[in-house]
């Protein structure tokens, strides 16, 4: 039997009747968009995070774009983000006309290095061509970035802060959601994410009511929202007033219905993922170049379990012969990819460049049994490449 990299089927087996019933309810009421499940899921996300107001949307990429749009970020502006991330983090910046500025990561957590961020902001300010406006911190592989340090830097320089929590939604630092520090926290419901749907979906959570309203407007073609309409008289039905250039970015009712069922398991699944991570760390801690360490006070959702190995590609090939899947996140940092090469990466990002050659992700999901994990650990320890 082959070992799955992420076992979505095991989770589905646990809740299949509930999922079937939830999907059937949507088919019965027929509100495929804007159905009651969407609002209910948004409220439950707020309750889970314990902070903020959530606007669901079509995917985790739109979720990052919309706060940038709300802050009027555009040509001549700089948005700082890591290069060691999935394309979506930086892709949205040129959408607005602004420039991504790539920042290096910490060698143990793979998240933004606050010292590199500070240095990049200073370098951009000294050059004088771009105006620093925002930072997008990524909770890579599931663990929270160093938000107290990043927030302090943002406050010093007057920058907005987004937590791209697509891989880490549900993670905490000192018991708090990243939104405690960030102005906006975004996530993706891509099926393989720790909280994934059965299709695309995303969400952005914020603390500020006007920011929420602007995002609520952008996700429906820039329509007039409550705070636009209150106290004003319009010649036309305000429902058809489009006050800003927006987009179509909605979470389908069926996906919300599925996510409501999955959210019921999510706390337990985070705990199970942490048990899996602890077993890997115990078995591999002194046998490979590096096993992941989580920031002090942090709880990771373990979207990925990434180790480092001096012969990463050889190890991947060896695991394949044993029926064990692996993956490399990310083999080519974003600042070295053709569309992004011209954007600034002050200091050349040496940690990012070194990590790209050694990282390898192992099977990780809440339902990985100790027996299968022992097999994976033995295969890694037995490789002498
Ligand atoms: C770090 C990060 N940001 C953003 C995204 C974008 O999410 P989506 O695929 O839902 O647009 C992803 C998803 O893969 C991601 O891993």
């Amino acid at each position: 039997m082959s070992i799955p990299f992420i076992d979505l089927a095991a989770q589905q087996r646990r809740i299949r009747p509930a999922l079937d019933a939830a999907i059937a309810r949507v088919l019965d009421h027929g509100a495929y968009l804007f159905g009651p499940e969407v609002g209910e899921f948004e409220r439950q996300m707020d309750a889970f995070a314990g902070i903020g107001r959530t606007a669901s949307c079509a995917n985790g990429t739109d979720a990052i774009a919309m706060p940038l749009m709300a802050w009027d970020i555009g040509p001549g502006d700089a948005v700082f983000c890591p290069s060691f991330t999935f394309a979506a983090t930086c892709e949205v910046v040129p959408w607005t006309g602004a420039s991504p500025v790539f920042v290096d990561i910490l060698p143990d957590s793979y998240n933004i290095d606050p010292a590199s961020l500070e240095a990049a902001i200073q370098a951009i300010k000294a050059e004088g061509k771009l105006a620093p406006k925002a930072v997008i911190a990524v909770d890579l592989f599931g663990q929270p970035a160093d938000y107290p340090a990043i927030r302090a830097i943002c406050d010093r320089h007057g920058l907005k802060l987004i937590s791209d929590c697509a891989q880490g939604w549900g993670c905490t630092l000192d018991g708090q959601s990243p939104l405690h520090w960030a102005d906006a926290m975004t996530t993706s419901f891509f099926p393989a994410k720790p909280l994934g749907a059965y299709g695309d979906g995303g969400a952005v959570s914020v603390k500020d009511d006007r920011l929420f309203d602007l995002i609520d407007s952008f996700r429906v073609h820039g329509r007039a929202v409550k705070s636009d309409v209150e106290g004003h008289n319009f010649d036309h039905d305000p429902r058809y007033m489009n006050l800003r250039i927006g987009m179509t970015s909605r979470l389908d009712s069926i996906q919300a219905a599925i996510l409501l069922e999955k959210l019921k398991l999510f706390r337990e699944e985070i705990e199970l993922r942490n048990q899996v991570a602890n077993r890997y760390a115990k078995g591999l801690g002194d046998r490979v170049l590096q096993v992941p360490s989580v920031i002090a006070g942090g709880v990771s959702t373990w979207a990925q379990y990434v180790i480092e190995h001096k012969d990463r590609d050889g190890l991947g090939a060896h695991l394949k012969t044993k029926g064990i899947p692996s993956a490399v996140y990310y083999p080519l940092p974003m600042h070295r990819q053709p569309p992004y090469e011209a954007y600034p990466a002050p200091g050349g990002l040496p940690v990012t460049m070194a990590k790209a050659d050694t990282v390898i992700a192992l099977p990780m999901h809440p339902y990985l049994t100790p027996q299968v994990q022992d097999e994976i650990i033995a295969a890694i320890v037995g490789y002498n490449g």
Side-chain angles (χ1 to χ4, degrees), residues 338-363:
Y340 299 97
E341 273 171 341
Y343 291 115
L349 319 189
V351 180
T352 296
M353 292 310 294
K355 296 296 180 187
D357 290 336
T358 54
V359 288
I360 180 165
L362 305 179

Side-chain angles (χ1 to χ4, degrees), residues 59-61 64 85-86 88-89 138 164 166-167 188 190 193 201 330:
N59 55 66
T61 309
I64 313 169
T85 182
F86 182 66
T89 308
V138 179
D164 174 358
Q167 299 182 11
S188 162
F190 182 82
K193 294 285 186 263
Y330 293 94

Side-chain angles (χ1 to χ4, degrees), residues 81-350:
C81 62
S83 170
F84 197 69
T85 182
F86 182 66
T89 308
C90 54
E91 176 182 41
V92 294
V93 180
W95 284 8
T96 67
S99 169
V101 175
F102 293 105
V103 173
D104 215 352
I105 51 167
L106 292 164
D108 49 358
S109 69
Y110 309 104
N111 280 332
I112 280 191
D113 176 357
S116 172
L117 175 62
E118 176 68 41
I121 296 167
Q122 300 284 1
I124 292 300
K125 280 189 165 173
E127 200 184 39
K129 289 189 189 149
L130 295 167
K133 284 290 167 65
V135 174
I136 305 174
V138 179
D139 302 309
L140 201 73
F141 305 145
Q143 72 152 307
D146 185 352
Y147 284 106
I150 297 167
R151 180 75 254 178
I153 293 169
C154 288
D155 286 347
R156 221 167 26 249
H157 295 281
L159 309 182
K160 299 288 189 192
L161 174 58
I162 296 177
S163 155
D164 174 358
C165 205
Q167 299 182 11
W169 196 84
C171 73
T172 52
L173 182 58
D174 297 331
Q176 307 275 6
S177 155
L179 187 59
H180 177 76
W181 295 274
D183 298 292
M185 173 172 71
T186 67
T187 192
S188 162
F189 302 123
F190 182 82
K193 294 285 186 263
L195 182 63
Y198 289 154
D200 277 315
V204 47
S205 307
V206 300
K207 295 173 285 195
D208 178 85
D209 285 340
R210 180 64 184 159
L211 179 57
F212 178 89
D213 278 358
L214 289 172
I215 289 166
D216 191 27
S217 170
F218 284 127
R219 65 179 170 162
V220 191
H221 305 290
R223 68 174 171 184
V225 289
K226 214 165 136 218
S227 58
D228 293 320
V229 172
E230 267 165 3
H232 294 86
N233 288 320
F234 291 98
D235 295 340
H236 310 282
D237 182 345
R239 266 183 306 175
Y240 299 105
M241 298 283 293
N242 298 87
L243 299 185
R244 46 197 72 85
I245 294 177
M247 62 220 282
T248 313
S249 195
R250 297 181 289 242
L251 183 69
D252 298 344
S253 306
I254 285 184
Q255 298 305 342
I258 290 163
L259 285 160
L260 276 166
E261 295 307 319
K262 290 191 173 204
L263 193 58
K264 291 178 189 163
L265 306 180
F266 195 49
R267 266 189 216 288
E268 180 193 339
E269 288 186 342
I270 293 174
E271 172 57 33
L272 291 170
R273 285 173 183 272
N274 274 281
Q275 289 174 16
V276 172
N278 290 341
R279 289 200 297 263
Y280 270 140
K282 207 162 153 234
L284 295 172
D286 49 3
R287 309 304 290 261
V288 295
L289 273 185
Q290 183 170 295
V291 293
S293 45
V294 176
I295 186 171
V299 175
S300 177
T301 59
W302 298 106
Q304 305 293 345
Y305 191 85
V306 173
I307 61 166
E308 292 183 40
H309 197 278
K310 61 181 179 348
D311 180 21
R312 181 263 312 282
D313 294 335
L315 175 64
H318 169 75
L319 293 177
K320 200 169 170 197
T321 65
K322 307 228 166 233
I324 299 168
S326 63
V328 174
Y329 306 116
Y330 293 94
L332 187 59
M334 293 314 301
H335 73 292
R336 288 297 180 92
Q337 307 246 9
Y340 299 97
E341 273 171 341
Y343 291 115
L349 319 189

